[in-house]
Each structure stands twice: as structure tokens, then as C-alpha cells.
Amino acid sequence: MLSSIGKIVVVAAVVLATTAAASSCSGQTMRERWQQRAAERRANGGQGPFAARRMQQQQSMALPSGAQVDRNVAYGSDPEQTLDVYRPANAQNAPVIFMVHGGGWARGDKEAAGVVNNKVGHWLPKGYIVVSVGYRLVPQVTPMGEAQDVAKALAFAQGKARSWGGDPSRFVLMGHSAGAHLVSLLSAAPSIATNAGAGSWLGTVALDSAAYNVVDIMQQSHFSLYDKAFGNDRQLWSDASPTLRLAHAPVPMLLVCSSRRADSCAQARGFADKATSLGGRVSVFPIDLRHGEINAELGASGDLTAQVDGFLQSLNLP
């Protein structure tokens, strides 16, 4: 008979063997799985999916005095094709921030606190309208289908802008994470927007995208969220790569990147270098904030908000 210590050793060996087998079957080490889960939490604003969903359901926001919000305005027939419109009091010919949420192309919500709260609190009192956009997600569509949804929403919002007190000629595209990838893709390949009926816009703010060149990402070690979004379709990799789609100078762009991430700023600089070579005005702003913090803290007092405000002022906006 085994002693108590011997039984413990046997049980521990079985557990270790089972864990190793699971790792071998999945093709991932334990460290790789931890890194993947961390990446997915970052893509979801620093929260796990269930915690983030609870936060979204529980969050509430006090609007600036006199402001109004129109929720779930449909721009398409799918339940996900809706947008929320935050309007300041007595808006007239107001500039419009057109915000696209992130979430690894497979999750996220236009009403999440990190997506809207500080942005609405900062820019509505300055006279801006803020539009927060929902779109269909992977696996219902590919990231190219998401870009087409964003383009369709942009065309809709520009068409409705005057009825909201906005100016359709003074739109600025903004997005975080996967949303930053989508607005960068529209900026690099504006035919996606024009084919949906959208007009031009003044500039684009991309908040910590690390997906300017999807082909490079997919040919190197990467997190599985990219596989879920882009699969093995090499044509999709190319079509969804802002850097590879860029053929002419884009609208002025500000690319914010987290200096805490190895991939974000390098990808942003690659895009900016190509845009500059084509005569574009694209600047990269590295900042010592985590991925989710860049989204949530924009609009709060600090260097990030000051940098974005300066970019907006360079577009002759308030």
C-alpha cells in the first residue's frame, strides 16, 4: 500500500500529466494561454468578458446639463446595426465625433463606460455631438464586413447630422482597439466608405490599434483572437490591412499607441511612415498607459486628452 505522501505524489503526477496533455493537444503552453487571456482582457478594456458585460449593464452616466441621447438608432436591418447619438444643448452645426468601440472584433459594446463616459463628458460641453456606433461582430461577419457596417453607419449619420444639430462636413472618426483598426482601414481605403454612400470627413483618431499590417501579424507568433477574426484567408489579411491598402495620402490622422505594448507603436509607425511618404499628415503619439486605459481615460484631464484636443484644433475644430 502507498503511504499518504506516496498518494499525494501520484495524484500530483497525474494532474501534471493531464495539464501537459491538454497543452499539447491545444498547441499552446500554459504561458501562451495566460498571455492569450490577458490579450483578450486588454481588447475588452481590461476586463474579462463577463465582468465587462456586467459593467456595461450596470454603468450609468449623468449627461452634461441640457444634453440628450438617442439610443439604438437603426442604420441597418440587423439588431447590431444601431448607434447612440449624444447631443449637447442647442446644438447648431456642431462637429461630430464618430466613435467605434473595440473588443477584438468579436465583442464590445457601444454603450460601455470606457467607450463613452469621459468622451461625452468632455466634448459635449465643447459643442460636439458624439455618435457611438455598434456593428456586427465575428463570427457573424469578417472584419471587412465590420468595416462595411461602420461605413454604412457613417453614411447614415452624415445624412442625419443636420436633424441632430450637427454639420455633416465636420466629422472626425475615432476608434479604440479593433475599432481603431476599422477607422484606420476606412481612412486608408476610403472607397469602403464612399461605396456605402458616405462623404468625406476631416480626420481620424486611432486609439491603440496593433493591426495596421495584418499580414505581418498572421505570419508571426500571435494571439488566437487574430485567428478567430482573420482565419486562414490570406486575401482577407491583405484586404483588412490599413498599411497595405494605403495608396494615397489619407485624411490627417493621430495614431495613439501604448508604449507598454511591444506591437502597437511599431505597427503605428509603419503606417505613419508610409502615409508620410505619400504626402499625408499622420502623427504617432506613444503614451505610458495600458490598452484599456487609453480608451477609458480619453476625455479626462491629462496629456492624452490634450493631445487629441490639439489634433482637433489643427482641423479647425473647437
Side-chain angles (χ1 to χ4, degrees), residues 95 97 122-123 126 128 170 172 174 202-205 252 254 281 302 304-318:
I97 290 177
H122 178 69
W123 277 297
K126 292 169 70 72
Y128 285 79
R170 296 206 295 166
V172 174
M174 183 181 291
L202 295 180
T204 299
V205 179
L254 174 64
R281 179 166 70 88
L304 174 59
T305 301
Q307 186 76 20
V308 175
D309 275 341
F311 174 74
L312 296 176
Q313 290 163 10
S314 77
L315 304 176
N316 296 317
L317 296 175

Side-chain angles (χ1 to χ4, degrees), residues 133-200:
V133 183
Y135 51 93
R136 293 172 297 168
L137 301 170
V138 169
Q140 184 180 356
V141 295
T142 69
M144 288 305 301
E146 297 178 359
Q148 289 160 5
D149 275 8
V150 172
K152 184 175 182 177
L154 176 61
F156 174 86
Q158 288 175 327
K160 291 288 188 181
R162 294 203 184 280
S163 69
W164 300 332
D167 184 341
S169 69
R170 296 206 295 166
F171 270 60
V172 174
L173 271 55
M174 183 181 291
H176 172 251
S177 192
H181 163 259
L182 295 174
V183 297
S184 297
L185 184 57
L186 264 61
S187 301
S191 61
I192 299 172
T194 56
N195 288 343
S200 60

